[in-house]
């Protein structure tokens, strides 16, 4: 289970400062991608989080050879388009729209694809173009401190001999995939770009389980605490968790459609043998979705529990008040009677009157106590 | 992000006066379009907001030429029907039904289309006629003062060489499109009316993001405020936001179907190359819908938070009452005892009785305080 | 907008008397149509509201001729079956099952159709028989006094040259259609029975808008009132409105399916040219449905507002109680102290003790007031 | 409307005793049909209610002849398999599994069919086998005393020349059908087993209306009572009604699918002419379902009304308390002031002080009353 | 009905200890199946509960012969692949991934299948491979002590002449199936692996009824108790039951799809004759699902009842307080009046003043009592 402090994008400074607070809802409402009405293909990066410098690296491999390199300019990757080997070019950072435009022109990507690439907040989707597939996914991670789910847009462009992956930031969940390529573990080195795309998507979806587990643990904790101490802060946490689950759901729900579209796809770059692997990712996506819905049900149940626990508390407060008032108000009245200054109150002169009254008072109080006990209020 | 004061129809006077107040629900309930049972094609303008004078302007262009003009009578536009160039005729104001009828007769539009054109409050829809497509959309804008979402009906009639756009009022979200045509930016000048229609629809849907962002900001504000000061005015705001979201939803929900219908359409005026652009608008519509649903979920969560915060407040009030009553009622009783006038109350004569009683009272009060602290009520 | 007092069936006497009260739910639960298990085609009129005498009238027309007549016996209409002109025979009153049976035999209607004709409370539906179409609709009207939605079953039988319309009562929404036939306005005189059926259905659906508008106005009123005076009568009105919306929904929801079935129908009596008109009715039905759902959402929102306003009220009551009790109970205790009769209470003899105590009391009260103000309770 | 005391299975003794109480939920949870994992076709009767003796009777008829008989052993019915006349064999009582097995072997029914036949609690369904159709329905009746909906499984086996009907108990809703066969009323004598099956199903579905009417009446009653006297017993009744509606819904919901399956069926035993009748039953089933859903909506509305009425009551209690306490606690304090024993309280000696204080007290009380009236609490 | 103590996996030690408590939610959130991004086909057992030693046993049979054996190593089962007889190989324990890998290689199972086999928490599913079918199911059992539903993953691999069943633990619901094979009861010995798979699935689904019955009984109990003693522990039980129903639902819901996929399957290993049996399992799955949904509805109803009962309680407490305070506070005030020390209070000297005041007090108290009784609060 990935610990949040190892999560690649959890530790960014400033997540808690006021500017970033807007992100609480902001993650759920896509910011205006560009000036309304501007031409399609206008490249405007909409993410708030930029890396210093765009980092470009590639892995070029077939069953026998492997070439790994970090390059300074995107132009160095252009020759990879022609080679028959599988090339995985990873780009971290989306703010350099000029770079993206160059790339797009060389590889022949549609302007709308490039526009979506840089305007983060896209819904997960699959677009089948003649020469390539365009896949948008969300990578999720759970920040243990802020208890927030962070979402990062991942764009994949899958061609006949290459896979492009675009991320907003350095750091991802793909190290095991890189390791498998380097060590030639499993079948990955002998397969095409479709299999590589599968491996990347599989890694992303595997990451969802880790996030769901963390959310599940939070709910588990709250499940125990909520009836013991129904403080409002607990409800706030339930509320926040529900909101985080909306973030997860928006990543996972459309992914199911993406995968099922991939399963039915007749695109030449998708080998029939790879479909059984896509089917596996599809199953995982459905399962994640199931889990999200179940967790939402559980969180709703917790809200009910909380509210009832609050009601119970109020009931208790009421009972204490009622018991105290019901016992002492009548007694005070009795004392008030004999505090009156009428000249003709014969009882006052009787020597046993005072102890008798005290006894009566005790009896009244006792009756009250008995009554409340019988009611089960005590 | 368009500031509300620049929104084209936010600043109309009288939005807050009683007559217009009806519009709160009125936007959601379409007014009776005509006398029930009257003949189809009866043109009755149903919108309450009219411009002084219908404004007609057109842009006639192809890759090389551009002709822009504001005309006084609709007849001046009739020759545009025959030219092979793309003509975009924009009509602001729908109350002049005679004008619409003339236009309809010349261009051969179906009477039912003309009827829908002028009776605002139509559901977004696409009708494929032999010679033209009829598209109804809603333009949305958020009025920052009244916190209301204003909706304006936009009708598009797309023929082989022309696009008509009908709006209720002057002012729209199409200036960037006009700019692109004038400056021949992007591909728009080389494309047909279907691409122009796309550009207009894209501008409309882009406008939705701005509105959703504003609603999202409102929810964000409320999210912070609602637990701190659960005043009823806050609930009112949540309630009003929910209602505004109904307005948005009614614009966006059917739009998705319109776009998916366009994607599947075999109409000759829709070039296959344009479909990738329609697909983009479709994606944006789906995304807007997603966002609306998410915002509704968030607003529901806020209602729950509000109600629980109110309950918490009540609990606090109750606790203060209970604590005060529980401490002082028994003490008052004790004081009452020794205020009685029995002749035989030996304690009264003891010199240490008074301080002893005061001590007892302090002890009782202290016990109570201890009890309430242990309960966590203090 | 039709004023309720002009609504054709709003003014019947006795709508408020106990017998009719059953209709509140009764409109939503169809009464047993016949003795369970009796033969199909058993004609039993199930409506509670009968006209004195069945009224039969017809309009027989083609582009040139028009013949209008009110007849005494159904047999007088039998010759219309053979004429090539379009005949619209309207029957007001369903209790004379013998008449219906005669008619059915002559025109060859299926016994089950006749049975449905007279047993009101049918779900809107379309049945395509070889020689005719059978359409069931509900006419709705809003009674401004009882705030109830009245529903009347309308059955249409559309043949090759005739349209039968069966209503429970005299009075309908078809006068504008009659007027158009008489005055030969629009295209109606040149069209066949399918167009006439469209015109009737269109008039019915147009009537829905009027009803929805009235319900919308009611909700608008409640929206303003509910937070100002959350009386229980208001909740009752919301509750009743919700129930009325169920009545509307049951009329409109299946109508959408009826219209979409008509649009797809291949029946020879439906000319392809008429379908664009049916499509218009379909659009209106969908729009009405949308509006019903929206109004239901609004009504649910009102319930929430109401409940929260009640809670707010209770809170206020609690605060008054708490403030009064918290201020005066401690003061009373102080007064009680110095009302005790201990012989050794040195303070009693001090001449400044009384004003000092009064000052202390004022200080205590002031502290309390300050505390409550700071809490925002005052 | 069938009175509950005439309902065939309402009057069984012991419905209220503890053993049967389990049936409240038990009707909704099917008891384990057999030992888990035992062989398919293992016949185990799972119903709790047995008749003393299985009663077998048959009606054998064609257009001219009619033979009705009650037989002692199932073997006497075996010859009916071969005759070309329509035979309706009715079996009351399912506990004699040996009889069922014999029957099944002779007529060639699938073991799984026989198993379902005797294990009551099946979901309504249609199974098309080569030689016969197997239909499961639920007969419903409303017990006016326990306010419970009783459900009895009815199995129909429809072959080329016979219909078997299996019930758990003597007594059913088929007497009108029998009467029609005996008196040769309607078309039934001239039709085949499919029409007979229709007649039986129609009788069952007609019975649903009676039950729904009764439930509707209950809701009607509660609708009036719930705001006047919001006792908890009322909520209990609403809760119980909701549960009963679950019983109805489980009978009606799958029936719709059964009927629509029958409508689409190509089975040779279903004459095309009969389909219009099945369509009628389908319509009734859909209508019943509509009504169930509407009644559920109404019942939910009642719960809301009830809860709000309870809240209103609580509010009233609170107001009385607050008014009493707010008026008298300050007055008591004033009285307490002048009950103090300070030696220097100059007011005490003034002859007009007592009446002045009484006046002041009256003024304070009056102010309070005025304040509460203005608040609308009085 | 299987008693929980006979349930095969209910009695494991430690279900209540803290480590296992995590399982409450853990059953609903699948633990990360493997290191995110690791190669597909990486076999990692994810279940927490292991048996000491993997137990392998097989039953090899045809109509005449039967061979049953428990073997030590999986290799002993390899020859069964070639024999024409039906072989059922059951593996209890999934932690020995090496064994699974060997098996998979010999029988040619896909690596992803093997991965799913050992990573428990799979969603029920059906995968059709060329040589075999892979089916995942959940076996459910109800633990009477912890009131928890335990879920165990069952994987079936159905080939042309064999069925593999993989379980996490020794103990299952298949003993009756084994008995039927041994005793050659029913048709099982004469059928192929598809029928065996049916028998196993049928046994699993039959087990669901037992679990649902237990949950139904719990709800039945709560239904009676919840209004009598609305303690918070009851709500906790309802809450827990709802969570358990989520566990059941996640097992049953996808099963319906699995069965319907099997019914439509054209796979050569599924004989058409067996489909009627699969249809039976499908019916049972649908019925179980129905029951789960119904039980969820009932549980929601119980929550409402509970909350209203709590509200009722609070109301009662409030009434007692209000009655006590309203009666005695005015009386105390009256007593306070005559406890004042004004020198000029003429009443004090009157000999009948004291009894008169007592009478007045009784009258006031009586009026109050009468008022409260009329209100129905007493």
């Amino acid at each position: 289970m990935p610990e949040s402090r190892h999560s690649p994008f959890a530790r960014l400074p400033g997540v808690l400062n006021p500017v970033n607070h807007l992100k609480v809802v902001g993650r759920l409402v896509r910011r205006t991608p560009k000036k309304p009405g501007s031409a399609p293909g206008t490249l405007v990066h909409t993410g708030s989080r930029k890396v210093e410098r765009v980092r470009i690296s590639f892995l070029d491999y077939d069953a026998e050879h492997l070439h790994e390199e970090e390059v300074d300019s995107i132009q160095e990757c252009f020759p990879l388009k022609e080679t028959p080997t599988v090339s995985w070019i990873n780009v971290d950072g989306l703010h350099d729209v000029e770079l993206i435009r160059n790339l797009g022109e060389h590889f022949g990507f549609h302007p709308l694809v490039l526009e979506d690439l840089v305007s983060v907040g896209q819904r997960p989707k699959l677009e089948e173009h003649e020469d390539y597939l365009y896949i948008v996914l969300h990578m999720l991670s759970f920040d243990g401190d802020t208890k927030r789910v962070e979402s990062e847009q991942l764009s994949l462009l899958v061609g006949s001999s290459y896979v492009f992956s675009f991320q907003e930031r350095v750091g991802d969940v793909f190290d095991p995939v890189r390791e498998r390529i380097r060590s030639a573990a499993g079948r990955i080195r002998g397969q095409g770009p479709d299999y590589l795309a599968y491996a990347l998507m599989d890694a992303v979806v595997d990451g969802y389980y880790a996030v769901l587990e963390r959310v599940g643990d939070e709910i588990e904790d709250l499940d125990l605490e909520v009836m013991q101490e129904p403080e409002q802060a607990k409800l706030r946490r339930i509320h926040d968790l529900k909101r985080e689950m909306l973030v997860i759901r928006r990543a996972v729900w459309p992914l199911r459609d993406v995968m099922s579209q991939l399963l039915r796809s007749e695109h030449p770059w998708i080998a029939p043998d790879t479909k059984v692997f896509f089917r596996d990712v599809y199953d995982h996506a459905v399962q994640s979705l199931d889990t999200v819905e179940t967790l939402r049900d559980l969180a709703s149940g917790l809200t009910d529990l909380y509210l009832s626990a609050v009601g119970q508390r109020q009931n208790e407060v009421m009972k204490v008040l009622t018991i105290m008032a019901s016992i002492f108000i009548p007694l005070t009245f009795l004392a008030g009677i004999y505090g009156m200054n009428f000249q003709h109150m014969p009882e006052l002169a009787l020597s046993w009157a005072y102890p008798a009254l005290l006894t009566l008072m005790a009896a009244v109080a006792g009756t009250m106590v008995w009554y409340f006990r019988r009611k089960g209020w005590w």
Side-chain angles (χ1 to χ4, degrees), chain A:
Chain A
M1 195 176 65
E3 181 43 40
S4 85
R5 55 194 64 244
H6 301 126
S7 154
F9 33 97
R11 281 294 102 197
L12 292 181
V15 181
L16 283 165
N17 67 32
V19 174
N20 271 14
H21 182 266
L22 208 64
K23 278 209 347 248
V24 172
V25 166
R27 288 166 306 166
L28 293 164
V29 183
R30 185 187 164 199
R31 295 279 129 187
T32 316
K34 48 176 184 177
K35 203 156 151 300
S38 60
T42 309
L43 300 190
V44 180
H45 177 232
T46 59
S48 57
R49 304 164 305 185
K50 288 172 185 165
V51 290
E52 283 290 303
R53 206 177 59 80
V54 175
R55 225 195 68 181
I56 305 163
S57 62
F58 68 83
L59 269 160
D60 189 61
Y61 65 88
D62 60 11
E64 283 86 36
H65 308 92
L66 171 68
H67 179 203
E68 189 171 1
E69 195 177 332
E70 187 164 341
V71 294
D72 287 324
S73 88
I74 192 69
Q75 278 76 6
E76 297 180 47
C77 299
F78 287 180
L80 296 170
K81 191 186 174 187
E82 314 302 333
T83 60
T85 51
V86 178
S87 315
W88 170 21
I89 303 120
N90 183 55
V91 179
D92 291 329
L94 302 175
H95 61 278
D96 187 350
V97 296
E98 207 46 52
L99 181 153
I100 306 280
R101 196 190 321 279
N102 280 334
L103 180 84
E105 269 164 24
H106 182 79
F107 282 84
F109 298 136
H110 195 281
L112 285 173
V113 166
L114 300 178
E115 185 185 330
D116 286 351
L117 210 65
V118 295
S119 68
V120 303
Q122 297 293 321
R123 216 170 168 263
K125 65 175 173 181
L126 165 69
E127 283 180 17
E128 300 188 32
H129 294 263
E130 205 177 330
D131 290 339
Y132 56 93
L133 296 162
Y134 175 43
I135 303 169
V136 181
L137 298 174
H138 291 184
M139 288 189 282
L140 299 180
S141 70
F142 189 83
D143 185 331
D145 294 320
T146 58
K147 311 277 188 199
R148 295 237 180 98
V149 174
E150 301 291 328
S151 171
E152 185 183 345
Q153 178 167 319
L154 170 74
S155 296
L156 297 180
L157 284 157
V158 185
S160 63
S161 72
Y162 59 85
V163 172
F164 275 93
S165 57
F166 291 88
Q167 311 177 45
E168 299 175 59
R169 279 191 301 217
V170 177
D172 54 35
V173 292
F174 299 144
D175 282 338
V177 180
R178 289 192 187 89
E179 222 35 71
R180 275 153 59 197
I181 296 175
R182 286 177 197 132
S183 64
R187 62 173 75 196
I188 196 163
R189 285 281 286 276
Q191 303 284 324
D194 51 346
Y195 190 88
L196 176 59
Y198 147 72
L200 298 177
M201 286 192 281
D202 192 45
V204 168
V205 176
D206 276 358
Y208 293 173
Y209 286 112
V211 172
L212 288 170
E213 228 174 283
R214 297 295 298 272
V215 174
D217 291 349
E218 288 289 318
I219 286 178
E220 183 84 46
D221 290 352
L222 281 166
D223 194 40
L224 294 171
E225 293 170 27
V226 89
M227 287 188 89
Q228 284 155 22
E229 283 180 76
E231 301 157 335
Q232 216 171 348
K234 300 247 161 64
L235 186 65
R236 183 84 225 179
R237 271 171 67 197
I238 300 173
H239 174 77
D240 287 353
L241 272 179
K242 279 186 184 168
R243 200 183 47 214
E244 297 312 304
M245 282 189 264
L246 287 178
V247 176
I248 304 177
R249 200 166 162 229
R250 291 187 67 161
V252 184
W253 189 272
L255 179 62
R256 195 185 53 168
D257 297 336
V258 167
M259 295 318 301
S260 108
Q261 217 181 321
L262 264 176
L263 281 176
R264 290 191 317 269
S265 168
E266 305 281 340
H267 201 281
W269 301 162
I270 303 179
D273 283 358
T274 318
K275 285 209 178 165
V276 66
F277 293 97
F278 284 136
R279 161 86 204 209
D280 196 52
V281 180
Y282 173 82
D283 283 349
H284 291 180
V286 170
Q287 205 162 14
S288 303
L289 205 53
D290 253 33
T291 306
V292 176
E293 295 307 322
T294 303
L295 290 175
R296 276 164 59 96
D297 273 5
L298 289 173
S300 294
L302 283 183
T303 312
D304 290 351
L305 264 195
Y306 169 83
L307 291 175
S308 109
V310 166
Q312 201 78 12
R313 285 268 161 137
Q314 191 157 352
N315 232 349
E316 251 176 75
V317 174
M318 286 287 296
K319 277 183 197 164
V320 168
L321 173 60
T322 301
I323 289 168
M324 295 304 285
S326 300
I327 290 175
F328 287 103
I329 287 181
L331 300 186
T332 305
F333 164 66
L334 285 179
I337 290 278
Y338 293 99
M340 293 194 295
N341 299 321
F342 288 109
Q343 291 173 16
H344 301 279
M345 291 180 73
E347 305 96 307
L348 296 181
L350 301 172
S351 66
W352 49 266
Y354 177 50
L357 183 66
L358 289 185
T359 310
L360 174 63
M361 284 173 166
V364 166
T367 308
M368 280 294 175
V369 169
W370 170 82
Y371 174 77
F372 290 130
R373 292 208 98 124
R374 214 201 44 178
K375 284 253 182 194
W377 295 359
W378 196 297

